[in-house]
Amino acid sequence: GAGVSQSPSNKVTEKGKDVELRCDPISGHTALYWYRQSLGQGLEFLIYFQGNSAPDKSGLPSDRFSAERTGGSVSTLTIQRTQQEDSAVYLCASSSSTSGRVPSFGPGTRLTVL
Amino acid sequence: AQRVTQPEKLLSVFKGAPVELKCNYSYSGSPELFWYVQYSRQRLQLLLRHISRESIKGFTADLNKGETSFHLKKPFAQEEDSAMYYCALHSGNTPLVFGKGTRLSVIA
């Protein structure tokens, strides 16, 4: 079946602009995660949605970062007033109890802030 | 707090040599441990998980609660094993916590 998809695959923006990154999880997966992957830093957890529960936002690095999940499916990660240090690959993953709660990852969005 | 440590950023081995990618974790409860792999230009994918106790692509990993380790091993490295490897910890309803990764380079 279809895996996790993300768009765009690449995004180049200017410092100070806002960006939106989209994630389409695997159908039926109740949990959705955003991670940031940067050189030397590994995978940093950003935010986690589980069903109808309040999201775990403990990994968001600043209030410029926010995420929504509409209808328990698609999620959008928004970064306002982007900074050069925001440049990274943003990964989305989803999981469900039937998948053993093992997250399946999308291909990522490579964000470059000039 | 949960923490995963992968002490080696880069590991280079010759083809046919044994491989061990180290992973240590910090967690007071009973965690679930995973290894994920990312090949060049591919998405991150699950390699194995400790509760499965299986061998995938010749790799095995044993959870050692006394040493709080989950090292990944393979007796004979192949060139196609060259990739980025991440150790991860999961507990309850918390999201996966990843180490910083180890890049394995297998030299022909």
Side-chain angles (χ1 to χ4, degrees), chain A residues 47-95:
Chain A
I47 188 168
Y48 164 53
F49 297 88
Q50 172 60 59
N52 296 320
S53 302
D56 177 352
K57 303 180 182 180
S58 60
L60 294 179
S62 76
D63 58 8
R64 295 186 297 104
F65 289 72
S66 63
E68 290 185 343
R69 188 177 186 192
T70 54
S73 180
V74 172
S75 177
T76 302
L77 177 69
T78 301
I79 309 174
Q80 297 178 310
R81 305 181 302 281
T82 52
Q83 303 295 312
Q84 288 183 333
E85 60 262 29
D86 299 335
S87 296
V89 177
Y90 289 81
L91 296 175
C92 177
S94 68
S95 70

Side-chain angles (χ1 to χ4, degrees), chain A residues 3-4 33 35 37 40-43 45 48 56 91 99-103 105-107, chain B residues 9 32 34 36 38 43-44 46 49 86 90 92-101:
Chain A
V4 178
Y33 317 75
Y35 286 85
Q37 184 181 34
Q41 296 300 316
L43 278 84
F45 163 71
Y48 164 53
D56 177 352
L91 296 175
S99 71
R101 297 183 301 151
V102 177
F105 281 81
Chain B
K9 287 186 179 179
E32 194 172 356
F34 302 82
Y36 276 78
Q38 189 169 32
R43 66 181 66 190
L44 195 64
L46 177 69
R49 58 194 299 191
Y86 292 95
H90 185 284
N93 284 325
T94 60
L96 277 180
V97 174
F98 285 87
K100 294 192 176 183

Side-chain angles (χ1 to χ4, degrees), chain B residues 7-100:
Chain B
E8 303 137 330
K9 287 186 179 179
L10 173 66
L11 182 64
S12 296
V13 301
F14 286 103
K15 177 181 174 181
V19 174
E20 182 178 63
L21 300 170
K22 290 184 167 54
C23 172
N24 288 88
Y25 67 90
S26 173
Y27 181 65
S28 58
S30 296
E32 194 172 356
L33 275 297
F34 302 82
W35 277 98
Y36 276 78
V37 60
Q38 189 169 32
Y39 301 102
S40 180
R41 297 190 183 87
Q42 294 187 28
R43 66 181 66 190
L44 195 64
Q45 58 186 281
L46 177 69
L47 180 62
L48 52 80
R49 58 194 299 191
H50 89 270
I51 62 171
S52 299
R53 301 184 66 82
E54 58 191 346
S55 174
I56 304 293
K57 299 184 179 182
F59 284 97
T60 59
D62 290 319
L63 179 62
N64 186 322
K65 291 187 177 181
E67 296 183 356
T68 59
S69 69
F70 189 56
H71 304 326
L72 183 68
K73 300 177 183 179
K74 184 170 182 176
F76 308 104
Q78 303 299 313
E79 289 179 76
E80 55 266 30
D81 296 329
S82 295
M84 195 74 182
Y85 291 80
Y86 292 95
C87 183
L89 179 155
H90 185 284
S91 177
N93 284 325
T94 60
L96 277 180
V97 174
F98 285 87
K100 294 192 176 183

